[in-house]
Amino acid sequence: MVKEREYDVVVFGATGVTGSQVAKYLKDVAEKENLVWAVAGRRPAELKKLFPNVPALYANCDEPSSIVQMCSQTHAVLNLVGPFRYYGRVVVESCIKAKTNYFDVCGEPEFMEKVAYEFGEQAKKNGIVIVSACGFDSVPADIGVLTTQAAFSKVGGVCNSVEAYIKVQSTKNRPMRGNYATWWSLIESVASASDFRKWRKTTGCNEKHVKVIGPKLEKQQGFRWKERFSAWVTPFMGADASVMKRTQLFLQDNPSYDKSLSAIQTAAYFQVETRKNVFLFSLFGAIFFILMKFAFGRKLLLDFPQFFTYGAFQKTPPKEEDLEHVVFQSTFIGKGYSDKSKVGGPENLEVLTLFSGPEPGYLATSRILIHSYRAVTTFNEAQQEEKDKKTGVLTPGIAVWGTDLLTRLRSSGFVIHVKKYTQI
């Protein structure tokens, strides 16, 4: 890594709600950890009004040289400019050219997998780390799974599978609103799904499967009642499934990374508590997939998100007071064996892990991003040998595992703990 840089970190894209939350939280972390930071974007004057005491840099994805200039001034970039399929690649390429670490909040599997396929070796050669999905997508899911796997190892057991069940709720029974950028990215991802599948088959990227050591995990489709949660569950449409699988494939291909962890089967689901919401999900889901078949339909979805999502997504950003009453909880159910001698037979041990925190789209994401960046950076700075540093294009789980991230998150309003072991 190049030592002489003007800034420790630059926040690229700080004018949106997520960006402003990141900058607001980074200010506190920077004061505690003595960091020199800046913000960057297409309108430095506007950034200066929002953050009058912070340096504001000009950087525009339509002008690659300005992105390289930004990256050359800092040790790390926190990228918030999406959709990443359109605006992310130039930032990644510039970070590689400038030998600058890169972190983002991307929830787009296509972008992440293509970056890993195309730039993994070059990033490792340059001694930098590139980590996407450093927000609610997909740190809680990835870390929750790894924590559950480690819990098996702690008692001499062997994990076979982990299922994540994600719940988002209002503590005041008020409407909740998702991030419009997430809605936009979802539409673009579904629209390109066929081409993405073809690319995966052509390249072999993420096409492998983990070695199954016990009962095969049955992946469900649609809604089903889960008595354990008194709720309906359905496959989660975010990036978690893709990210968790890539993490497990990394463990399978790199057994020396952490000998206490072996690759397992994973799945991610979303909880819906009422029949009314199941009906609304099904109705608007059907309308969504019909409209997705046509260009004008996709334009309608983008132009009128509030109508087509029953208010769940809107173009206008939420107010901060609207975020304070929302929380998330992810429950991880791991199944496996109490010891290695029982592997291959009926599973006899279950581990339950909980991961909860504040509103996911803005508040949790901003805190997770900053703490992930700091956890990886401080870990690498502490390593005496280059070979021990975390480099290359990594999933968030692989990047932050073994760092102080959990400690950081617990001090920032998150709860992560193994709740119980149960013989089954």
Side-chain angles (χ1 to χ4, degrees):
M1 286 287 295
V2 179
K3 297 293 183 183
E4 295 77 17
R5 297 287 171 97
E6 192 169 352
Y7 306 108
D8 293 300
V9 61
V10 170
V11 179
F12 179 41
T15 55
V17 178
T18 306
S20 64
Q21 288 291 334
V22 168
K24 177 182 176 182
Y25 196 71
L26 179 58
K27 178 178 180 293
D28 295 333
V29 174
E31 289 176 355
K32 292 177 183 177
E33 303 190 29
N34 195 30
L35 301 176
V36 180
W37 65 291
V39 291
R42 293 178 298 172
R43 298 181 292 275
E46 183 177 339
L47 287 168
K48 204 63 184 173
K49 290 179 182 178
L50 293 171
F51 314 104
N53 299 317
V54 180
L57 312 178
Y58 175 74
N60 188 337
C61 290
D62 293 329
E63 299 177 28
S65 61
S66 70
I67 304 297
V68 174
Q69 177 66 19
M70 172 189 71
C71 296
S72 299
Q73 297 178 70
T74 181
H75 288 294
V77 169
L78 308 184
N79 186 17
L80 300 164
V81 180
F84 292 87
R85 67 175 57 243
Y86 296 132
Y87 305 114
R89 183 186 178 95
V90 65
V91 186
V92 170
E93 289 179 322
S94 297
C95 279
I96 289 175
K97 185 178 294 186
K99 296 184 178 180
T100 298
N101 293 317
Y102 171 96
F103 301 82
D104 70 32
V105 294
C106 176
E108 306 166 37
E110 183 173 353
F111 172 79
M112 292 186 278
E113 292 182 27
K114 287 184 175 180
V115 165
Y117 180 78
E118 296 181 42
F119 301 112
E121 289 301 319
Q122 189 62 50
K124 197 168 187 64
K125 179 180 177 182
N126 285 8
I128 65 168
V129 65
I130 295 175
V131 193
S132 286
C134 289
F136 179 67
D137 281 343
S138 291
V139 170
D142 222 11
I143 288 299
V145 169
L146 291 172
T147 300
T148 306
Q149 289 175 263
F152 274 88
S153 296
K154 188 176 181 180
V155 296
V158 181
C159 186
N160 177 50
S161 67
V162 176
E163 293 178 299
Y165 293 89
I166 301 155
K167 179 180 180 180
V168 180
Q169 63 182 354
S170 168
T171 58
K172 295 184 179 179
N173 198 30
R174 291 167 59 183
M176 297 177 290
R177 192 190 305 182
N179 190 318
Y180 177 74
T182 300
W183 174 247
W184 185 3
S185 297
L186 175 62
I187 291 170
E188 296 292 348
S189 295
V190 174
S192 65
S194 178
D195 289 338
F196 184 34
R197 285 192 295 269
K198 292 177 182 176
W199 177 84
R200 276 177 166 174
K201 288 183 179 180
T202 301
T203 61
C205 183
N206 217 16
E207 283 289 293
K208 294 193 301 182
H209 298 284
V210 299
K211 182 180 179 181
V212 178
I213 62 169
K216 188 173 181 179
L217 191 62
E218 294 184 11
K219 305 290 181 71
Q220 76 165 73
Q221 301 296 324
F223 285 91
R224 67 179 168 92
W225 178 255
K226 191 76 171 177
E227 191 66 39
R228 182 173 207 149
F229 303 114
S230 297
W232 301 85
V233 298
T234 189
F236 184 56
M237 292 187 68
D240 289 355
S242 168
V243 171
M244 292 188 302
K245 181 181 178 182
R246 288 174 55 219
T247 292
Q248 297 305 317
L249 288 175
F250 179 94
L251 293 176
Q252 183 167 273
D253 294 339
N254 300 272
S256 62
Y257 171 78
D258 186 330
K259 294 181 179 179
S260 69
L261 301 175
S262 55
I264 63 166
Q265 307 168 83
T266 57
Y269 300 100
F270 187 73
Q271 296 184 46
V272 180
E273 293 189 324
T274 67
R275 287 183 179 272
K276 174 188 174 183
N277 286 339
V278 170
F279 170 75
L280 291 173
F281 265 91
S282 301
L283 174 63
F284 287 103
I287 295 172
F288 175 86
F289 282 105
I290 290 172
L291 291 175
M292 281 299 304
K293 296 179 181 179
F294 312 100
F296 79 89
R298 295 191 288 274
K299 187 175 187 306
L300 287 174
L301 291 169
L302 286 169
D303 290 344
F304 304 102
Q306 185 171 353
F307 177 79
F308 289 109
T309 65
Y310 201 61
F313 292 96
Q314 299 179 26
K315 279 192 170 183
T316 54
K319 298 177 181 178
E320 284 200 34
E321 55 264 32
D322 294 330
L323 304 177
E324 295 172 355
H325 66 93
V326 180
V327 296
F328 80 88
Q329 177 171 290
S330 295
T331 302
F332 300 86
I333 301 176
K335 293 185 178 181
Y337 305 96
S338 57
D339 62 70
K340 294 181 180 180
S341 68
K342 294 180 171 58
V343 170
E347 295 165 319
N348 71 335
L349 181 63
E350 178 182 284
V351 174
L352 184 69
T353 303
L354 299 180
F355 192 138
S356 61
E359 185 279 329
Y362 300 96
L363 301 184
T365 288
S366 59
R367 297 177 193 182
I368 291 171
L369 172 64
I370 292 166
H371 287 310
S372 295
Y373 144 66
R374 288 305 296 153
V376 174
T377 301
T378 55
F379 176 89
N380 280 348
E381 289 172 349
Q383 304 310 305
Q384 299 297 318
E385 301 288 338
E386 285 294 323
K387 65 180 179 60
D388 296 327
K389 294 183 178 182
K390 293 176 182 285
T391 59
V393 180
L394 304 177
T395 63
I398 295 302
V400 304
W401 189 250
T403 71
D404 66 350
L405 178 67
L406 292 184
T407 300
R408 289 174 174 273
L409 292 179
R410 287 180 178 126
S411 67
S412 305
F414 295 84
V415 177
I416 308 112
H417 69 104
V418 177
K419 186 176 182 180
K420 65 178 179 178
Y421 292 83
T422 305
Q423 293 291 325
I424 55 176

